[in-house]
Amino acid sequence: MLGIVFLKLLVIFVVVAIGWGFGRLKWLGEKDLARNLGNAAYYIFIPALLFRTMVRLDTTHLPWAILVAFFAPVTCLLLAVYLWQKYRYTQGPATPVTAPAVHALSSTFGSSVQVGLPLMVALFGELGLSIHLAIIGLHSLVLMSIATALAENLIAQQRKQEGGTDSRWRAMAITVRCTLIHPVVLPILSGIAWQYLFGGLPTLVDEILLTMSQAVIPLCLVLIGLSLGQFGIQGLLKKSLFPVIFKLLVLPAAVLFVGHWGLGLSAVPLSIVVLAAALPIGSNVLFFSQRYEALEAETASSIVLSTLCFMLSAPLWLAVLSTL
């Protein structure tokens, strides 16, 4: 069964390598190629995927105890990394103001679709898939929304420091507006509203959104390779270590502690939440870093490195879970 997961990881590396090769050889041009592709994904294909996912999410049968075991520690650690990075960073012309938010998201946002789906199906079958799909449904809603709000708040603070004349309430209103009218948050909220008001999607609309959604994963992977080819990887390994170690080791350890000793989970539900937390960094984080023009090269490097190291960390967590 693990052979299926490793095959998926190999496919990921090959597609990333193809993107890297095209980026290094500049066969697709040079000027803002990665950014233009990232904008296409961020404003067209990812919103289609998120909207369709939220419309199809069955909120009446969600395993709330399992979701709390996953999202409570993950959210707390996202905020902890953000606060630590915000305190650590010295603002200057070379430091992107939104860097703490990018760091926080890259340390907690996992590859729940590309790697997570085949892993859960291979290890736990239909039961694992049903629980993991519930996590996927709320994954972007919770983590991307929080990270977006943090990034927009940092931008508002910078605007005020540079002499902005907005009142406190007006600045807060601008932050809320920018957070809600966002290519990730808006389709999620729209999908929830559509499901509540109208139920399912018309067949034609559903097929259109499905077709657009299928472009997300290959575009994400090619874009990671293009970004690495554009920025290079020299000197990025050291900068990528923190989010990789945090994502693959610290985050699943926290979920294990909360899920097992805090909420009493065991067997398959515990294994799923821990492995979901232990997944490598998700490719959507690269789009987030591109949107806010912060740590793009480091994010691409962290995604690749965490996916590579997952081959070693996954068996480790499976061994730990087997003892429980």
Side-chain angles (χ1 to χ4, degrees):
M1 292 188 294
L2 283 178
I4 298 175
V5 178
F6 290 131
L7 177 62
K8 291 289 184 180
L9 293 175
L10 179 60
V11 170
I12 289 174
F13 286 123
V14 170
V15 178
V16 169
I18 291 172
W20 178 84
F22 273 79
R24 293 295 293 177
L25 296 173
K26 301 177 182 177
W27 284 351
L28 300 178
E30 301 182 39
K31 190 175 181 181
D32 293 331
L33 174 62
R35 189 170 301 281
N36 291 336
L37 284 177
N39 286 337
Y42 212 67
Y43 289 97
I44 300 175
F45 300 111
I46 289 179
L49 172 64
L50 295 175
F51 179 82
R52 183 174 184 269
T53 300
M54 297 314 299
V55 171
R56 294 167 61 87
L57 180 65
D58 183 8
T59 56
T60 60
H61 297 93
L62 290 178
W64 289 110
I66 297 174
L67 293 176
V68 169
F70 177 82
F71 284 105
V74 170
T75 301
C76 290
L77 288 177
L78 184 151
L79 295 173
V81 172
Y82 166 77
L83 292 174
W84 176 62
Q85 293 291 338
K86 185 180 178 182
Y87 173 80
R88 173 175 172 265
Y89 265 86
T90 302
Q91 297 300 325
T95 305
V97 66
T98 53
V102 175
H103 262 300
L105 189 62
S106 64
S107 300
T108 52
F109 192 93
S111 181
S112 58
V113 176
Q114 297 103 308
V115 180
L117 277 178
L119 177 68
M120 300 307 174
V121 172
L123 294 178
F124 306 110
E126 290 295 326
L127 174 60
L129 179 62
S130 63
I131 297 175
H132 187 65
L133 285 175
I135 294 175
I136 290 175
L138 298 177
H139 196 227
S140 293
L141 170 63
V142 175
L143 301 185
M144 294 288 281
S145 299
I146 293 174
T148 298
L150 296 175
E152 294 295 340
N153 182 60
L154 290 169
I155 294 172
Q157 290 178 6
Q158 184 187 47
R159 190 184 302 117
K160 185 176 181 179
Q161 292 173 359
E162 292 175 349
T165 57
D166 294 336
S167 67
R168 179 179 180 182
W169 291 108
R170 177 172 172 76
M172 186 180 299
I174 293 174
T175 301
V176 172
R177 184 192 67 194
C178 292
T179 301
L180 294 178
I181 304 176
H182 186 276
V184 169
V185 180
L186 186 59
I188 290 175
L189 297 178
S190 300
I192 295 173
W194 181 282
Q195 184 196 68
Y196 179 77
L197 294 173
F198 306 110
L201 291 167
T203 302
L204 177 60
V205 175
D206 187 63
E207 284 297 319
I208 292 172
L209 294 177
L210 175 61
T211 301
M212 296 171 66
S213 302
Q214 290 171 340
V216 172
I217 292 178
L219 186 55
C220 288
L221 299 178
V222 169
L223 184 59
I224 292 169
L226 285 172
S227 299
L228 290 174
Q230 176 182 342
F231 295 110
I233 59 177
Q234 188 174 5
L236 292 177
L237 179 61
K238 183 178 179 180
K239 295 179 180 179
S240 303
L241 283 179
F242 173 79
V244 171
I245 293 174
F246 195 94
K247 182 67 187 68
L248 298 182
L249 299 178
V250 178
L251 193 69
V255 171
L256 174 62
F257 180 82
V258 172
H260 185 60
W261 287 282
L263 297 174
L265 296 183
S266 60
V268 173
L270 178 66
S271 298
I272 291 171
V273 294
V274 172
L275 290 176
L279 292 171
I281 299 170
S283 54
N284 286 358
V285 183
L286 179 59
F287 298 129
F288 185 84
S289 69
Q290 287 182 327
R291 174 177 173 83
Y292 291 107
E293 299 181 354
L295 310 178
E296 297 169 52
E298 292 179 27
T299 301
S301 175
S302 298
I303 292 170
V304 174
L305 182 60
S306 67
T307 305
L308 179 63
C309 293
F310 181 71
M311 293 184 178
L312 301 176
S313 62
L316 170 66
W317 286 113
L318 287 172
V320 171
L321 290 166
S322 68
T323 63
L324 298 176

